[in-house]
Amino acid sequence: MEIFDFSKPNTTKKVRAAKKVLEQEPGVNKQQQNKEFYDQALERIIQLLKKNTIPLATPTRRLLQRPQIYKFGPKRIQWKNFEAFCNQINREAQHVSQYFFNLLGTEGQIADESLIIRGRQTSTQIEASIKKYLNVYVICSMCRSLDTSLIRDVELRIYIQECKACMATKTVPTLEISDKKQS
């Protein structure tokens, strides 16, 4: 039976490695120094973000009003707070109404501060249409902010959505304006 002596290294490589470890000065090794440097750099980046770009460092959430939808006669519905909704999302009432008329395949009109839509749509259909409009024309695809503006390029005949928070731009589909008389 062989007796193994584990206290002695059996190769010269192990001896050299052991000498290197013993010759190192006691204290902080390179891994600890790198981690401390990384933590300091990360903390500095976070502080600079908070200082210079408040909207990106602290996310804000804006709640929109629920649409107030009522029956208006046998075959019409009325969206009472339509103008307030358009002001909240910073869009023209004509653009928003045209989107809804095209999407729902119906006609309507803007009266006072409300939108009157022909047809028998339910409030859930209107809310689903609002979500589609917000995703396509209002919400920034980069930072998910509602603080955007819609600019029409006359030469190219396209709409450009520009985010005021992150300055991102993207093109959005143009609306087909129907020549039907709105009543």
Side-chain angles (χ1 to χ4, degrees):
M1 176 177 220
E2 275 185 63
I3 299 176
F4 292 103
D5 187 11
F6 293 108
S7 63
K8 292 183 179 179
N10 56 359
T11 64
T12 57
K13 287 182 182 177
K14 289 184 182 178
V15 170
R16 287 184 193 147
K19 284 183 181 178
K20 219 182 229 186
V21 169
L22 293 174
E23 289 173 357
Q24 280 184 352
E25 295 178 17
V28 183
N29 63 17
K30 282 191 174 184
Q31 286 181 343
Q32 289 174 336
Q33 286 176 343
N34 288 343
K35 185 175 181 336
E36 288 173 6
F37 177 74
Y38 174 79
D39 290 339
Q40 290 172 355
L42 185 63
E43 190 65 35
R44 184 169 177 239
I45 289 171
I46 291 171
Q47 287 175 355
L48 288 172
L49 270 177
K50 286 181 181 178
K51 179 182 173 185
N52 297 329
T53 56
I54 292 171
L56 295 177
T58 56
T60 57
R61 188 171 180 168
R62 190 176 357 158
L63 297 176
L64 300 174
Q65 292 179 353
R66 282 187 79 90
Q68 297 173 357
I69 299 172
Y70 303 101
K71 284 188 176 183
F72 188 71
K75 292 185 182 180
R76 291 184 183 186
I77 59 168
Q78 182 180 17
W79 181 355
K80 285 217 178 204
N81 59 345
F82 178 71
E83 289 284 336
F85 173 76
C86 292
N87 291 336
Q88 271 188 319
I89 63 172
N90 192 22
R91 295 295 181 267
E92 294 179 13
Q94 188 65 33
H95 185 266
V96 179
S97 65
Q98 192 62 44
Y99 174 82
F100 283 103
F101 298 150
N102 289 346
L103 187 66
L104 299 173
T106 186
E107 297 176 339
Q109 67 184 14
I110 299 173
D112 297 329
E113 293 188 2
S114 62
L115 178 70
I116 299 171
I117 303 173
R118 281 190 182 175
R120 294 185 178 169
Q121 282 78 22
T122 63
S123 61
T124 55
Q125 287 175 324
I126 299 294
E127 287 178 10
S129 302
I130 290 171
K131 287 178 185 176
K132 285 181 187 176
Y133 181 82
L134 291 175
N135 285 331
V136 174
Y137 291 99
V138 179
I139 297 174
C140 176
S141 57
M142 298 301 278
C143 67
R144 309 296 296 165
S145 172
L146 290 176
D147 194 15
T148 60
S149 61
L150 201 59
I151 303 164
R152 180 156 170 35
D153 189 351
V154 180
E155 291 179 8
L156 298 175
R157 293 189 239 169
I158 58 173
Y159 283 104
I160 299 171
Q161 177 192 8
E162 185 179 65
C163 180
K164 294 176 184 172
C166 70
M167 305 308 280
T169 59
K170 75 171 187 176
T171 59
V172 292
T174 58
L175 293 176
E176 295 178 14
I177 300 174
S178 61
D179 294 332
K180 298 177 185 177
K181 182 182 176 186
Q182 295 179 354
S183 58

